[in-house]
Amino acid sequence: MSSATQDPQATTAPSDRLAEMLDSSARIEELSSAQEEEIQEADDDSEYETSSDSDDHHDFHAVWGSKLKPNLPFYFASPGPLRDSLQTSTSVAQDKTMDEVLQLMTGNGQTILDVNAYGLPHLLKPKHAAFLRTILGKYPPPFQVMDASRPWLLYWALNGLRTLGVDVSEYKQRCIDTFTPLQNPEGGFGGGHGHLSHAAASYAATLSLALVGGLDMIDRRAMWHWLGQVKNPSGGFRMAVNGEEDVRGAYCCMTIHTLLRLPLTLPPSSPARAAGLESFTSNLGSWISSCQTYEGGLGGAPDNEAHGAYAFCVLACLCLLDSPDKAIPTYLNTKSLTHWLVSRQASPEGGFSGRTNKLVDACYSHWVGGCWSLLESALSIPAEKSLWHREGLVRYTLTCSQAKKGGLRDKPSTRPDGYHTNYSLAGLSAAQYIYTYKSDTETAETESEALTSAFNWSFERPTTQQMKQWCFDTKDMVEPVHPVFVLPFDVVEEARAKFAGKVGF
Ligand code: FPP
Ligand code: K
């Protein structure tokens, strides 16, 4: 271990940068632009030119303009009727975004000419795949600030590629080589070389390794020990030893725990055990309960503002603990949660915001869009009585999130990046498939030592009628994405089969 890892400052620096990266789309956009410049240098006929796409504007009108409008319901074609006259920086940003969205929704400003049967741009699969492959390539110097996020870059790219139906087995060895120096002897993964282990880095590393069939390189016993170090006497989890405690920690740690089929008993060295807790699940549900706010949504920690990214962490974490119908209503007020979650879907945008009075962002296509199958399963709500508007999310994704040259983006005026590409595609999958929980008593009986509920999800493909209702063609379909693990179903099944009956080491 380098001396850097012994320095307590070194524990906060990488995790702060990671938090900053996950919190700031501005930073990601800055980096995407650096990445674009690099690609331009490498590729002279420049698929990725930075100039405006507006050259095609008139052609588009001539060919497609009139075709789009008749299919567009009024609530996607104009601003809503309720206006607040108070002007703030957010209301100005919102008006600008709404104008850009309306230009695209109505077809007036659309430059992607390849449209589906409903007049929406097709999902540009080969272009998005090419974009994601660049993320697995060489980086220009400005990406130095992403040094603590190596595992995320791999996860977003690999998971995004698989969601597009692209085989990623060719990346197996490189992925293992990347993670070998990041795995620490005390368990878990750091985000970069010499960094202490971190819950988010360990989550993204574990998922990336699952994606390429490389889970064998994980020291499961050491991981179990490290997870015991971040389990808190409160019941929640810290992001790192002595790090912040929030619901990302709970979701990331319990996902790793479940996927690797680790023992539920806390290791003897765990501070939580010293405080009287016995299991990784002890007090977890009740700690999570305390993160529900007066709005009905979920904050990252008790007393924090409700936010979509944390809502997903909470619901998915509860679905690791038990079936959704048991875990979710036991620990959350589903009525106020439903009200808050419904309020995240914007009109005319169709996409989701992360919190009250804020703008849509395609990453919430997953963080919020991914909540629906979990909550609707908990409440036994069938697809035909769904509480959310799948068509709206499909419209936002295909019409507003796609960059013409490849990659998906937060909103029309931003640049694509791996984070938004992966989570837009995961959100599209939530809109296109029906994910349901199928209780399976067989695993529950034989694996009482481990958590197995999350392995009981299945998916249904949309019917022709549903595809018509939700406005996409077969060509626009992504692969099913597991609603709890956010991985392809076959990857989850492979991990389940690999460690079945192997609780312990
Ligand atoms: C606010 O950013 C965003 C947050 C406070 C949460 C960010 C967390 C995640 C994206 C994911 C965490 C999950 C895991 C599994 C690590 P903002 O103010 O820029 O955006 P906003 O206006 O949309 O709220
Ligand atoms: K944002």
Side-chain angles (χ1 to χ4, degrees), residues 278-294:
E278 285 182 3
S279 160
F280 277 99
T281 60
S282 300
N283 295 357
L284 180 54
S286 55
W287 182 80
I288 282 177
S289 286
S290 65
C291 297
Q292 188 163 23
T293 79
Y294 70 94

Side-chain angles (χ1 to χ4, degrees), residues 22-26 29 307 354-355 358-364 410-411 419-420:
L22 280 173
D23 290 358
S24 164
S25 46
E29 277 143 27
H307 196 281
R355 46 185 168 146
K358 296 230 62 186
L359 280 62
V360 285
D361 177 335
C363 71
Y364 304 129
D410 162 351
K411 51 177 68 63
Y419 168 77
H420 288 94

Side-chain angles (χ1 to χ4, degrees), residues 21-54:
M21 179 272 299
L22 280 173
D23 290 358
S24 164
S25 46
R27 166 56 55 81
I28 292 175
E29 277 143 27
E30 200 179 291
L31 292 170
S32 306
S33 113
Q35 189 186 11
E36 256 181 33
E37 280 158 27
E38 172 86 345
I39 291 160
Q40 262 187 322
E41 272 169 37
D43 180 5
D44 256 0
D45 62 16
S46 195
E47 263 285 279
Y48 294 84
E49 73 207 12
T50 49
S51 68
S52 145
D53 291 334
S54 64

